[in-house]
Amino acid sequence: MIISNRQVTLENDLATISFNIESESLPNKLWFNVPAEYMDLVADSYDAALLAVLLPAMKRGEDIHIEGAISGKLWHNLMLSYQLIVYQMLPALKKVNITASTLSDKNYGGSGVLAGFSGGIDSYSVLHDYHFEDIPSHLKLTHLTFNNVGSHGKTKEAEKLFHIRYERVNAIAKQLDLPIIKVNSNFFEFYGSGLRFNSTDTIRNAAVALLLQNGIGSFMCASSYPYDTLFVGKSKFMACCDAISLPLLSTESLEAFAVGNEYTRVEKTLQLPSLPITHSTLDVCTEIKHLGPPINCGACRKCNITLITLEIAGKLDDYSSCFDLKAYKKVRKKYIRQFLFERRTTSIELVNFGIQEKFNFPPISFALSRVKHFIMDLFKDRRLIPRRGDEGLHIRPQRDGQKESSSDTEKEPVMA
Ligand SMILES: [Zn+2]
């Protein structure tokens, strides 16, 4: 694959930064749209394009050559460490060689502090700690982004959803008095099957941060995995190792890092009631057909894990304007039973919080679920995750046809 011919065009109030892609099977143009007023943040390097296409290239085993400049630090980290982590997570990927006309040590000197913002619990937890808290001013957020890099789906309908959702978060950003940068892209054309959004989200969002590294010096990514559940190994969720892998996407100009690993989902949810802006704007719903109002359907899993946490904390009424609480009341018992039996980290945290607060769980389901967890804990796999060797900068550790170890099972974090 060859990445070349970076171009910037301006039309009305929108800048398009595009790159030519020569590949055996990928589209021939990668582009980003950024509002023209933020063009002073956009860097002249190829770093963003490299991150955007790295995983699609790894999926195909296509080496990458960039006819332009990339960060020497980024190149080194991708070649030495980052690809190793990624193919341990997604073993179908292959390590690829990366070359460029220039490996640059340029530091753009930007001092902006950036985070993505969706209006969800992870986003508001970041705001709690890096906007509302009394911390040194140079650590405080200066910019938010709202990206279309695949989280809204892959179709033209998804782009409509992106614009609708942007209007919602833009209204919140105005209340926060923070600029929010709307970044559109055609990433969906590059990420097919085997590269689902949850498996690739961090690097997609980091690509946008690197696009803006002329003015942005820090990029913090809200991470949903507490420290004691982080791991490097096969997973459907790239966030399982954000705190380890994201710093490897830093450059001479931009420091990328994960935040929020200090907290469980319950602890993040309990940060919200002290922020009045969340009472009417919290957006956790994953029901794609629900456009509101209210913002949240009250009936999907994500809505229910949030609402049951708030109910246990005695804060449910604070959120009556942004959740459909009638829908919640119809389904809450079903979800409470489901969460009691689930082995997922978020469910176990929620149930433990309920036990701590003496929540009135349905007694028979509660007793049966305790027996299930007791028995399953006896047989819990405590083996370390298998590791593969690597060949450092000098390519390519996973050859075509290499079989995965049968013990290398897909792992979602479970509570110890
Ligand atoms: Zn919902």
Side-chain angles (χ1 to χ4, degrees), residues 50-60 82 86 90 93 191 195 199-200 203 238:
L50 171 58
L51 286 199
V53 301
L54 177 63
L55 268 56
M58 288 179 72
K59 185 181 169 195
R60 291 158 180 81
Y82 186 78
V86 169
L90 298 168
L93 303 189
Y191 286 78
L195 293 175
S199 306
T200 57
I203 192 170
M238 187 166 243

Side-chain angles (χ1 to χ4, degrees), residues 75 79-80 95-97 390-397 399:
W75 171 82
M79 287 300 298
L80 189 63
K95 187 176 177 184
V96 298
N97 202 13
D390 195 355
E391 295 167 18
L393 291 174
H394 301 290
I395 230 67
R396 65 181 49 179
R399 283 105 188 157

